[in-house]
Structures are given as C-alpha cells and as structure tokens.
C-alpha cells in the first residue's frame, strides 16, 4: 500500500513527465516545494520499487510500472472531481481540495463503483482525461486558444489549471467547457484576444488564453 507522501510524488511525476517519460529532481523539488536531498532519497526508494530508473545527476526515467502507479493516483483524483460535480452538485471550482483528500483512499472497489455510477467518464470536470484502471489515458489533440488566428471558430475543451481563482474568473464570464468561441481580434501590443461567445464579447489576456485548450469547430 503506497503512502500519502509516495502518492503525492507519483502525482507530481505524472504532471511533470516529458514526452520521453523523464523528469528531473529539480523539477520535482520545485513542484512539491521539497528540498532536493529529500527528493533524491525518495527517488532511490522508487527505483527499488522499479517505478523509476535513478542515476545521480541524470534525469529520472519513469518505468512502465511507475507510469501506471502515477496514473492510478490521478485517476482517483479526477474520478472524485467528476463525482462531486455530476452526482453531488459541486461547482468545478470547488472540487480540487476535496479530491486531494479522497485520492489517498486505498479502496479500489470504491473508485470502481464511482466510475460505474458515472458511466465510465473519459474526462474530468476541467476537461482533463481520466486514466482507466490499467493507467491508460486517452490522447487529447488540443491546442491553446493563444495559438489561434483571427476568424477561427473553436470549442473550449479543457483548462490547464484548476485553481479557485481561475475557475471563478471563467465563471464570472460564463465561459465553460463546450462553448463555441470566435476570435474577433488579437492585440499586437500584448497579444490579448477579443473573443465572442453566446452573443457577448470578452477581452482575454494572453496568460488566460494560454490556459484554455480548444479544438477547431
């Protein structure tokens, strides 16, 4: 049974791992706000469990077993967020902290039943993919809103961060997943966007646009 600390490391690895399934000790240290000697010590333990290949001063290579373990923690978190929204009526801005606590439960049957009650969802309330029981995850071919051109018509599919402040910012503008958005103009000076959706116009900073993931209509 994995400890809470181990699961927090596994989740961090999931979020930081690059296309070659690698992550550095420095990245983990900054992400988790934990001193590097402690991270090195934990990675040695992970290597003993065959979750990573660890060599001093080299990027950490995540093994297939490590990728599955990390995906399972994320699965529990994202299933919980979806359950809280779909079955308990929470707003998408209110579920992250609760899911942070429930993700450390070690009852597989509990999360399997949650998955069944939700009819096996593929994404969480923020549009991010939910790994299956084997740690497999769907490939989302999304692009950032900031990469679009004037005149593009797109669908908002996901957000890259789920902080209360950011989601409340979107709530105040009634901008949610599934909205059809048209890019009306792009400011040359600061790359801010003027967009249209639901017959309204909004100005969005480049920082916000980089956090909104879309597909072309």
């Amino acid at each position: 049974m994995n400890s809470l600390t181990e699961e927090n490391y596994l989740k961090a690895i999931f979020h930081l791992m690059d296309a070659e399934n690698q992550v550095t000790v420095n990245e983990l240290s900054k992400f988790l706000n934990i001193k590097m000697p402690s991270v090195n010590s934990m990675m040695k333990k992970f290597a003993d469990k065959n979750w990573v290949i660890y060599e001093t001063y080299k990027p950490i290579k995540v093994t297939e077993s490590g990728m599955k373990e990390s995906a399972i923690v994320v699965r529990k978190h994202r299933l919980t967020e979806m359950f809280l929204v779909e079955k308990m009526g929470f707003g998408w801005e209110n579920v992250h902290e609760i899911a942070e606590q429930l993700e450390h439960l070690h009852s597989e049957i509990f999360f399997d039943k949650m998955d069944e009650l939700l009819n096996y969802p593929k994404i969480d309330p923020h549009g991010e993919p939910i790994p299956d029981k084997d740690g497999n995850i769907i490939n989302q071919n999304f692009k950032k809103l900031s990469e679009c051109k004037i005149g593009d018509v797109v669908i908002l599919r996901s957000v890259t961060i789920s902080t209360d402040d950011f989601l409340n910012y979107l709530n105040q503008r009634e901008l949610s997943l599934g909205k059809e958005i048209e890019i009306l103009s792009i400011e040359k000076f600061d790359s801010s966007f003027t967009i249209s959706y639901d017959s309204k116009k909004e100005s969005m900073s480049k920082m916000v646009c980089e956090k909104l993931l879309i597909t072309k209509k």
Side-chain angles (χ1 to χ4, degrees):
M1 186 178 294
N2 302 330
S3 70
L4 184 150
T5 301
E6 287 174 331
E7 291 196 332
N8 284 336
Y9 271 92
L10 287 166
K11 189 168 66 170
I13 285 172
F14 181 93
H15 291 301
L16 295 173
M17 191 168 51
D18 65 19
E20 296 180 344
N21 301 329
Q22 294 184 150
V23 62
T24 68
V25 170
N26 186 49
E27 287 171 330
L28 285 169
S29 175
K30 290 180 178 179
F31 188 87
L32 293 166
N33 194 27
I34 295 174
K35 294 184 183 300
M36 288 183 64
S38 297
V39 178
N40 279 313
S41 177
M42 182 61 76
M43 289 305 99
K44 291 175 184 176
K45 292 180 181 178
F46 276 25
D48 290 340
K49 294 188 176 189
N50 194 34
W51 291 347
V52 302
I53 298 170
Y54 173 81
E55 295 181 72
T56 307
Y57 306 121
K58 291 186 178 181
I60 298 154
K61 179 75 173 180
V62 186
T63 66
E64 185 175 340
S65 175
M67 286 188 283
K68 179 178 178 180
E69 290 291 334
S70 63
I72 292 303
V73 181
V74 173
R75 166 182 164 80
K76 293 190 293 182
H77 182 99
R78 293 179 179 174
L79 272 176
T80 299
E81 288 189 329
M82 199 63 175
F83 190 86
L84 290 168
V85 169
E86 292 294 321
K87 299 298 184 181
M88 301 187 71
F90 283 83
W92 68 338
E93 75 279 7
N94 298 134
V95 296
H96 181 73
E97 293 300 323
I98 302 172
E100 286 276 299
Q101 300 173 55
L102 291 178
E103 71 187 28
H104 298 296
L105 291 176
H106 293 113
S107 173
E108 183 177 351
I109 192 172
F110 176 83
F111 291 100
D112 286 349
K113 176 58 69 172
M114 187 181 286
D115 197 17
E116 179 186 341
L117 290 172
L118 290 167
N119 197 28
Y120 309 102
K122 300 298 183 185
I123 59 172
D124 74 4
H126 310 114
E128 296 194 276
I130 300 174
D132 66 17
K133 289 179 62 174
D134 297 316
N136 300 313
I137 194 164
I138 59 173
N139 182 34
Q140 293 178 307
N141 190 25
F142 297 160
K143 63 186 293 186
K144 297 176 182 178
L145 181 63
S146 58
E147 297 171 349
C148 294
K149 305 185 300 294
I150 295 171
D152 283 351
V153 178
V154 301
I155 307 296
L156 179 60
R157 297 297 187 187
S158 182
V159 295
T160 61
I161 63 170
S162 54
T163 61
D164 294 355
D165 288 346
F166 184 65
L167 296 177
N168 280 322
Y169 171 89
L170 298 181
N171 286 344
Q172 289 166 9
R173 287 154 182 79
E174 299 180 328
L175 186 55
S176 56
L177 301 187
K179 291 286 187 183
E180 182 178 305
I181 300 169
E182 181 180 359
I183 291 82
L184 301 178
S185 65
I186 303 173
E187 176 59 50
K188 290 183 180 180
F189 176 69
D190 62 1
S191 299
S192 61
F193 277 46
T194 299
I195 63 175
S196 173
Y197 58 94
D198 291 346
S199 301
K200 65 168 67 175
K201 291 183 181 180
E202 286 286 351
S203 178
M204 296 282 176
S205 70
K206 181 181 179 182
M207 182 183 72
V208 169
C209 292
E210 287 179 341
K211 294 173 172 56
L212 302 177
L213 301 182
I214 56 86
T215 56
K216 290 285 186 72
K217 184 181 175 185

